[in-house]
Amino acid sequence: MAAFQPTDNNKVFTDAPPRRVVHLDVTRTWDNRTLAVSSSEWRQLRADILRRDNNTCSSCGYTSPDDTGRGMKVDHIDGDASNNHPSNLRVHCPPCEAIRHCGLHGLYGYITLGSSALDQVEIIKRTREVFETSGNIPRVKEVDPHAIKPKISIVEFANILLETDWDNLPEKFRSFKGRDAFHSDSNIRAEQIINLESSLPWMTFSPEEHTSLQNFLDTWRPSTTRLFEYAWICVSNPKASRRDSPDIQGLLSAWDDSCTNQRASARELDLLARQYHVFVGKWLIFAERDNVDALWFRIARSTHAGTLGTEAKVSPFDESSDEGRHVICVFTNDYRDFRDVKRVRESLRRLGIKDRIGYKPDAYTHCRVYSNNPWNIRPSMYNQ
């Protein structure tokens, strides 16, 4: 089906679709998007739909306080990402969008599954009310004291939905509801990374398997490799020395104790990283889909040649994101070794990365130190 092209920058020639009951659901059609989320056509169409619907979620009625509808999602009603006709598009708030695509968002760790007699919209509203008034994420029992935790995970349930329509599910399954996590930006990103890295394989260059680095790069381009297939695409420096394994669990346990006892700070985290030997860190480079392949090729070749860091990895294309950006991580062995950290930064500058970028210790990543974290710790140790 051809992509719908808006013919007027100021209006969309259709009425908004009627409000629908929201329930846990999945999309059965993948990789058929005809308008890239980063394209000007999709951005314009998205703006038109948000304006048409007054930045209001079609399922729960929540209206974004931002005039441009920032953070709101535009959803394909029939699940067909190639059908961009306005009558097939509706606005969702992030929680309703998570419920609508529970497999993807379950993989990211955004949803808790439970059996409840409450309506799905009521669960979303109660969770939002607690979060917005207290800043805390309510436990499941705070939202519904009678909720029961099922024996299957949200991802397992999503796989059932791939095979069976909602109306044909057994009654016990139709009592399943999702509770969106309403995480802070920091926790959202942390949960996403943790779930992706533990649930999906990594595509790592191997001379024996891929014949040559160029063959590997041509086959596994970040712009065309989907996030649903692999968490990361990786290249290592064969000349780099390896450190002893860090005690990640020890670090996490000690950091949780520090947070509980209100000792959380950048200094405290640095002391714990040293105590548990979590020294690895990385430079973070963000790239648009249009130029990520060329940039990744340069970084991967330099890493494999031994002239950059210990290893490098790039995120595949995330077709669910409106931003359409990739992140490239270039690692060093020790965040305390500022001379080596700076050497890698200068090498990246020679590869064409002139804009200011941040360096983040792995200890920060493991302990969920991202933007807007509750401890007010800068998410990057160095910025150059």
Side-chain angles (χ1 to χ4, degrees), residues 127-186:
T127 306
R128 178 184 284 118
E129 181 179 1
V130 173
F131 180 74
E132 291 184 345
T133 55
S134 69
N136 297 320
I137 304 164
R139 298 181 183 276
V140 172
K141 291 293 186 180
E142 294 178 72
V143 177
D144 179 7
H146 303 292
I148 300 173
K149 183 179 180 180
K151 294 181 179 180
I152 65 174
S153 70
I154 184 65
V155 175
E156 290 172 324
F157 183 56
N159 286 327
I160 293 175
L161 288 173
L162 284 172
E163 303 295 332
T164 308
D165 290 335
W166 179 266
D167 291 338
N168 295 327
L169 289 172
E171 183 63 31
K172 65 174 183 177
F173 284 162
R174 281 188 280 132
S175 71
F176 285 178
K177 307 297 191 315
R179 188 216 58 166
D180 184 78
F182 277 89
H183 288 124
S184 67
D185 291 344
S186 176

Side-chain angles (χ1 to χ4, degrees), residues 33 37-38 73 108 317-325:
R33 181 179 289 275
V37 293
S38 59
K73 308 296 181 181
Y108 283 176
F317 172 54
D318 183 358
E319 60 189 354
S320 70
S321 171
D322 288 339
E323 295 182 350
R325 290 201 304 171

Side-chain angles (χ1 to χ4, degrees), residues 255-293:
W255 179 247
D256 285 345
D257 182 66
S258 296
C259 294
T260 301
N261 293 286
Q262 299 183 340
R263 298 195 309 268
S265 66
R267 175 176 172 76
E268 175 75 4
L269 185 50
D270 181 56
L271 291 174
L272 293 177
R274 294 168 186 262
Q275 179 180 347
Y276 293 98
H277 306 283
V278 184
F279 298 130
V280 170
K282 64 271 186 185
W283 286 105
L284 300 171
I285 304 107
F286 293 92
E288 300 296 331
R289 190 184 186 194
D290 292 343
N291 58 26
V292 66
D293 289 345

Side-chain angles (χ1 to χ4, degrees), residues 42 46 58 64 101 104 109 124 160 180 199 235 289 323 343 366 379:
W42 173 255
R46 178 180 182 276
S58 65
S64 171
H101 300 284
L104 170 65
I124 291 171
I160 293 175
D180 184 78
S199 302
V235 171
R289 190 184 186 194
E323 295 182 350
R343 175 193 65 80
H366 292 305

